[in-house]
Amino acid sequence: MAGTRQGCVFCEVVAGERAAHLVIDAPDVVAFLDVRPLFKGHTLLVPRVHYETLTDLPGEFLGPFFDHAQRLAAAMESVLEAAGSFVAMNNRVSQSVPHLHVHVVPRNRKDGLRGFFWPRQKYESDGEAADYAARLAAGLT
């Protein structure tokens, strides 16, 4: 799924065809302010090359990509004087634009962000939890 995708809003930003407030303009990534931010400074980090999800991103690019995310998270605190940050991505489900992107959002205590997370669930037993862990671990090899 690599390359540039016609009709992709984020590919248009990367190509300079769509206006955006750029935060990072690097050879491998672009970061820009979200047009509908959770809080002012909410930034989207995207690879220049079109990859739809995290699983499509080549392994050798994971480190460099997340180095940029780490720097953005630090800037939320140092530049915007946020108490911390929220760093997240969706893969397919709830992914509003099918181009890999990481949300880096400044956070402060009692900032009013509620309902962003789904209700938590419990495993029926330790055995069920162990089964999920074993299945996932087996899928990684």
Side-chain angles (χ1 to χ4, degrees):
M1 298 257 165
T4 301
R5 172 95 24 105
Q6 184 175 358
C8 173
V9 175
F10 292 169
C11 284
E12 291 173 5
V13 170
V14 167
E17 298 167 356
R18 180 179 290 263
H21 296 283
L22 297 183
V23 176
I24 297 174
D25 187 3
D28 54 347
V29 301
V30 172
F32 49 93
L33 295 182
D34 192 310
V35 296
R36 297 180 316 155
L38 291 171
F39 299 109
K40 293 176 183 176
H42 179 167
T43 301
L44 301 176
L45 172 68
V46 304
R48 283 189 172 276
V49 174
H50 184 97
Y51 298 105
E52 193 168 313
T53 67
L54 180 61
T55 56
D56 298 320
L57 189 69
E60 64 272 9
F61 190 44
L62 280 170
F65 185 73
F66 282 102
D67 283 345
H68 291 289
Q70 183 180 48
R71 290 178 41 237
L72 278 169
M76 297 292 159
E77 295 181 38
S78 65
V79 176
L80 300 182
E81 298 179 0
S85 62
F86 177 71
V87 181
M89 75 172 54
N90 291 302
N91 282 307
R92 292 189 181 85
V93 176
S94 296
Q95 187 179 7
S96 57
V97 176
H99 184 129
L100 174 65
H101 57 287
V102 173
H103 296 261
V104 184
V105 182
R107 293 295 313 272
N108 288 293
R109 285 168 182 68
K110 298 183 180 183
D111 59 17
L113 186 61
R114 296 171 207 243
F116 197 73
F117 294 103
W118 297 273
R120 302 281 178 139
Q121 299 179 21
K122 289 186 176 183
Y123 291 100
E124 291 180 22
S125 66
D126 254 3
E128 182 186 35
D131 177 62
Y132 270 81
R135 288 171 35 206
L136 286 168
L140 296 174
T141 57

